[in-house]
Amino acid sequence: MRGFARLTALLLALFCIQTTPAYSQAKKDDRSAPKASEGPKPANIDHNGVLILIRSTLLALDNANKTGDYSVLRELGAPEFKTNNPARLAEAFAKLRNEEVDLSGVAVLEPQLTLTPQIEANGMLHMAGFFPSAAMQLNFEFAFAPVDRQWKISGMSVRLGASTPSAPDNAPAVAPAPSLEKPEAPAAAITTKRQIKKK
């Protein structure tokens, strides 16, 4: 899978965190080398386990972005991730941090998976998806490594996208009817400070 190969290439160069739920679904490390012919297999992890991994990973990133301190994020990662120093992580996540993206909405929003959790030939747990939100969509892709009977993040890609599909360029513009009442903000959303200031 070309997409996963690119993600794997970034593992040693970029982002990582550990998620440490007491009942992590990681199996014991299998010291036998995987066969090259083996392909991805569905992961034996339940829905709640998936939510814990996704949400705790993104909330750890959110805390690092808000504080500007990536040392904890680094320490929570799988061993190969710890080759990244905090400055390198800060550089990798500069765009999200500079746009003051608030990821706290992931604590209550339900992620939509575009790649259901699977175990790759190298033993990594791989998944991808997005969090739909009224403000914007948060896209993610994660690779977790089994370390000490826990899944620890080895690589992640997090980026913002439009919350709804864009209309074609030639679509006629329709002006909304004027309203005297300002609509209330959604109860939970992924936003940036700029969006909040515009209201």
Side-chain angles (χ1 to χ4, degrees):
M1 177 186 297
R2 190 180 304 164
F4 183 71
R6 269 180 283 166
L7 177 68
T8 303
L10 293 174
L11 297 184
L12 297 178
L14 296 176
F15 343 134
C16 258
I17 41 190
Q18 161 195 357
T19 53
T20 54
Y23 48 96
S24 175
Q25 278 70 31
K27 294 182 179 178
K28 289 183 180 178
D29 287 348
D30 181 5
R31 300 296 180 192
S32 61
K35 296 176 184 174
S37 61
E38 290 180 0
K41 299 174 185 172
N44 184 17
I45 182 170
D46 66 15
H47 181 67
N48 288 335
V50 171
L51 289 180
I52 289 168
L53 289 173
I54 293 171
R55 288 177 172 159
S56 60
T57 299
L58 289 172
L59 290 173
L61 172 61
D62 190 45
N63 287 331
N65 284 341
K66 287 175 177 172
T67 63
D69 183 356
Y70 292 82
S71 59
V72 173
L73 182 64
R74 176 187 175 275
E75 288 304 311
L76 291 174
E80 63 272 13
F81 175 73
K82 292 180 182 179
T83 59
N84 295 296
N85 61 34
R88 187 165 188 182
L89 291 175
E91 182 182 337
F93 293 112
K95 183 172 170 56
L96 290 176
R97 186 179 64 255
N98 292 338
E99 292 181 1
E100 298 181 300
V101 176
D102 182 3
L103 301 178
S104 60
V106 304
V108 294
L109 295 172
E110 186 76 13
Q112 307 297 310
L113 295 178
T114 55
L115 175 64
T116 56
Q118 62 186 31
I119 304 298
E120 300 291 342
N122 62 3
M124 293 277 190
L125 172 62
H126 183 206
M127 66 180 81
F130 64 93
F131 281 87
S133 170
M136 61 185 56
Q137 179 172 296
L138 181 74
N139 302 293
F140 63 85
E141 184 170 4
F142 298 135
F144 296 91
V147 179
D148 298 330
R149 299 179 54 85
Q150 297 174 348
W151 288 118
K152 296 187 179 183
I153 193 74
S154 281
M156 66 192 241
S157 170
V158 178
R159 65 190 185 287
L160 295 175
S163 60
T164 56
S166 302
D169 291 338
N170 58 359
V174 179
S179 174
L180 299 177
E181 293 183 19
K182 190 173 181 180
E184 290 185 20
I190 296 164
T191 61
T192 66
K193 291 280 186 180
R194 292 179 192 158
Q195 290 175 317
I196 294 170
K197 288 175 185 173
K198 288 180 183 176
K199 294 183 180 179

